[in-house]
């Protein structure tokens, strides 16, 4: 009897070790995976917007000649001791960051890993000046802060615009930190409802880029229109059906399969939560969307972008150490810190 008990305990112990090893491997497999996507993994909104985004990306690629990127790559791989895959993932996310700086007035840097690549670019002074002028028409400043103060408004705005233009991946969540942990301030949403387009362009968008490049101007206006649409849909639903999160959950998931713009689907939910549940945003978000498995996805990292599919997984919290992104969605480089834009 004692021998049987011994073998049972031993078998249980071995099983627990095996389960732990499998779980550990599942938790880190994606860190060694390439998360590059064609055309920077842009969201597909329709011909005019997609055309403008692609033109902006082509201009970015022209401003980053291979010789320049290779020199930056060698320095990063030597100094940070990272491999080819990690380099390519960081470079991919930095390009996305640069696209945002061409549209927005200010883009905080929320990743020390991505920021390390930006720092190395700056060391090649002439190349960096040429890049800035060709891509933005002006110098792209890098403003490090020794003691950055995290601004939830800026983080919420970053999450909104990043997700509007790009399909997040598991690496995006790792390197930038958790998305959508902060509501958009109601006063900001009201400003988008009541202010003129020119007023919003002046306050929140890169006017220099918009003056020089027509596609940048159109994309700024697209952001304004999308925010207004999301707010309008949220208010319309609340007026018709009330502010109960449970009912909205069923409504949103019924729209998911029909919504042509998946980012707008998510941003509509964010607008609703920000307008009516800002004080308990995280609890309401969890109640509204639940874990990503509730959406019918399965497998490691389900819901995050691994193919051109729906992107609801950006709402989910990833079970990993986000030591690059700041954990709670804060900035490891600067919440109001290393910022891009002009």
């Amino acid at each position: 009897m004692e021998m049987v008990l011994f073998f049972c305990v031993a078998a249980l112990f071995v099983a627990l070790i095996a389960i732990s090893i499998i779980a550990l491997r599942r938790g880190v497999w994606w860190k060694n995976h390439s998360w590059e996507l064609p055309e920077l993994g842009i969201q597909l909104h329709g011909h005019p917007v997609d055309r403008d985004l692609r033109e902006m990306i082509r201009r970015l690629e022209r401003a980053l000649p291979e010789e320049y990127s290779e020199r930056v790559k060698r320095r990063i791989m030597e100094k940070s001791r990272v491999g080819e895959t990690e380099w390519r993932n960081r470079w991919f996310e930095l390009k996305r960051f640069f696209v945002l700086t061409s549209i927005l007035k200010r883009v905080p840097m929320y990743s020390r890993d991505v920021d390390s690549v930006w720092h190395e670019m700056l060391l090649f002074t002439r190349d960096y000046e040429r890049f800035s002028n060709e891509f933005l028409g002006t110098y792209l400043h890098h403003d490090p802060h020794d003691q950055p103060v995290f601004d939830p408004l800026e983080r919420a705005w970053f999450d909104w615009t990043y997700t509007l233009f790009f399909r997040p991946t598991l690496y995006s969540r790792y390197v930038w930190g958790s998305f959508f942990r902060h509501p958009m301030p109601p006063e900001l949403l009201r400003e988008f409802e009541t202010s003129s387009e020119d007023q919003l362009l002046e306050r929140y968008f890169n006017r220099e880029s918009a003056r020089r490049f027509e596609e940048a101007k159109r994309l700024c206006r697209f952001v304004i229109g999308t925010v207004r649409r999301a707010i309008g849909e949220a208010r319309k639903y609340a007026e018709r059906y009330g502010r109960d999160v449970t009912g909205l959950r069923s409504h949103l998931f019924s729209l998911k399969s029909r919504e042509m713009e998946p980012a707008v689907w998510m941003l509509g939910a964010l607008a609703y939560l920000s307008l009516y549940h800002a004080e308990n945003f995280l609890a309401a978000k969890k109640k509204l969307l639940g874990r990503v498995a509730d959406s019918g996805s399965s497998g490691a990292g389900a819901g995050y972008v691994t193919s051109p599919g729906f992107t609801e997984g950006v709402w989910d919290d990833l079970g990993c150490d986000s030591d690059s992104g700041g954990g709670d969605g804060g900035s490891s480089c600067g919440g109001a810190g290393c910022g891009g834009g002009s």
Side-chain angles (χ1 to χ4, degrees):
M1 183 65 179
E2 291 180 352
M3 287 294 291
V4 173
L5 182 60
F6 171 81
F7 281 114
C8 288
V9 172
L12 179 61
F13 182 74
V14 171
L16 288 174
I17 292 176
I19 291 172
S20 299
I21 293 174
I22 292 172
L24 181 62
R25 287 179 176 175
R26 279 190 171 184
V28 301
W29 70 269
W30 54 268
K31 293 183 182 179
N32 300 315
H33 179 76
S34 174
W35 292 100
E36 292 180 288
L37 296 170
E39 300 179 323
L40 293 186
I42 62 172
Q43 298 276 14
L44 300 179
H45 295 285
H47 173 66
V49 177
D50 300 346
R51 177 201 60 205
D52 287 339
L53 269 175
R54 288 173 178 135
E55 175 55 34
M56 184 173 287
I57 291 169
R58 284 193 292 269
R59 180 157 45 84
L60 173 65
E61 297 292 353
R62 290 194 299 268
L64 292 169
E66 185 177 355
E67 182 182 354
Y68 183 24
S69 63
E70 283 296 318
R71 284 193 284 175
V72 175
K73 172 184 173 179
R74 285 195 296 270
R75 291 180 66 96
I76 285 293
M77 294 180 74
E78 290 171 3
K79 293 176 66 174
S80 301
R81 299 184 182 278
V82 300
E84 176 76 19
T85 299
E86 176 63 18
W87 151 257
R88 296 179 72 87
N89 286 336
R90 292 186 189 186
W91 187 236
F92 176 79
E93 290 293 343
L94 181 59
K95 288 179 179 179
R96 286 180 160 188
F97 177 86
F98 286 149
V99 168
L100 293 182
T101 66
S102 186
I103 299 169
L104 304 179
K105 186 173 186 177
R106 174 169 173 73
V107 188
M109 169 55 73
Y110 292 105
S111 168
R112 77 167 58 91
D113 286 348
V114 176
D115 187 56
S116 68
V117 182
W118 193 7
H119 273 288
E120 292 301 325
M121 289 183 65
L122 289 161
L123 298 179
F124 300 97
T125 309
R126 292 181 181 176
D127 291 314
Y128 186 76
E129 288 180 354
R130 188 181 303 111
F131 155 71
S132 295
N133 289 328
E134 290 183 10
F135 180 56
L136 294 173
T138 187
Y139 189 83
L140 177 59
H141 291 280
H142 182 284
D143 302 314
H145 287 240
D146 294 331
Q147 294 180 326
V149 177
F150 176 66
D151 186 343
L153 183 156
E154 287 192 325
R155 178 66 208 214
W157 185 231
F158 174 87
D159 294 348
W160 185 301
T161 51
Y162 181 100
T163 309
L164 179 64
F165 288 115
F166 302 114
R167 291 179 280 126
T169 69
L170 284 172
Y171 187 83
S172 305
R173 161 59 181 83
Y174 166 73
V175 80
W176 296 115
S178 300
F179 285 79
F180 296 136
R181 293 187 62 82
H182 306 281
M184 296 286 283
E187 59 271 19
L188 175 67
L189 299 179
R190 284 193 294 271
E191 186 176 1
F192 266 81
E193 288 182 289
T194 59
S195 297
S196 69
E197 187 176 85
D198 284 340
Q199 289 173 321
L200 294 172
L201 286 170
E202 187 65 38
R203 183 164 184 181
Y204 295 105
F205 296 88
N206 189 333
R207 291 302 298 267
E208 182 64 26
S209 177
R211 277 193 290 266
R212 290 175 177 263
F213 305 104
E214 285 298 319
E215 72 273 10
K217 182 191 297 184
R218 289 191 293 267
L219 288 171
C220 292
R221 290 172 172 167
F222 168 71
V223 175
I224 294 173
T226 302
V227 174
R228 286 175 168 171
R229 173 185 166 188
I231 296 170
E233 291 296 324
R235 290 201 185 279
K236 185 186 302 182
Y237 179 88
E239 290 172 3
R240 183 173 298 178
Y241 301 108
R243 302 181 182 183
D244 179 64
V245 174
T246 305
L248 180 61
R249 175 185 171 85
S250 300
H251 173 71
L252 286 174
F253 278 104
S254 71
L255 292 178
K256 184 182 69 173
S257 60
R258 304 198 307 269
E259 180 59 68
M260 296 302 292
E261 301 177 12
V264 173
W265 182 92
M266 291 187 297
L267 297 179
L270 177 62
Y272 172 87
L273 294 175
S274 299
L275 285 167
Y276 304 116
H277 296 276
E279 69 287 348
N280 63 330
F281 180 79
L282 291 178
K285 184 187 79 170
K286 183 176 181 180
K287 185 177 181 181
L288 176 61
L289 297 178
R291 299 294 294 176
V292 73
D294 293 343
S295 67
S297 302
S298 60
Y304 284 84
V305 174
T306 55
S307 62
F310 193 69
T311 56
E312 70 273 24
V314 72
W315 291 88
D316 193 32
D317 286 327
L318 181 63
C320 71
D321 295 327
S322 184
D323 49 4
S324 175
D328 64 350
S331 170
S332 57
C333 176
C338 307
S342 59

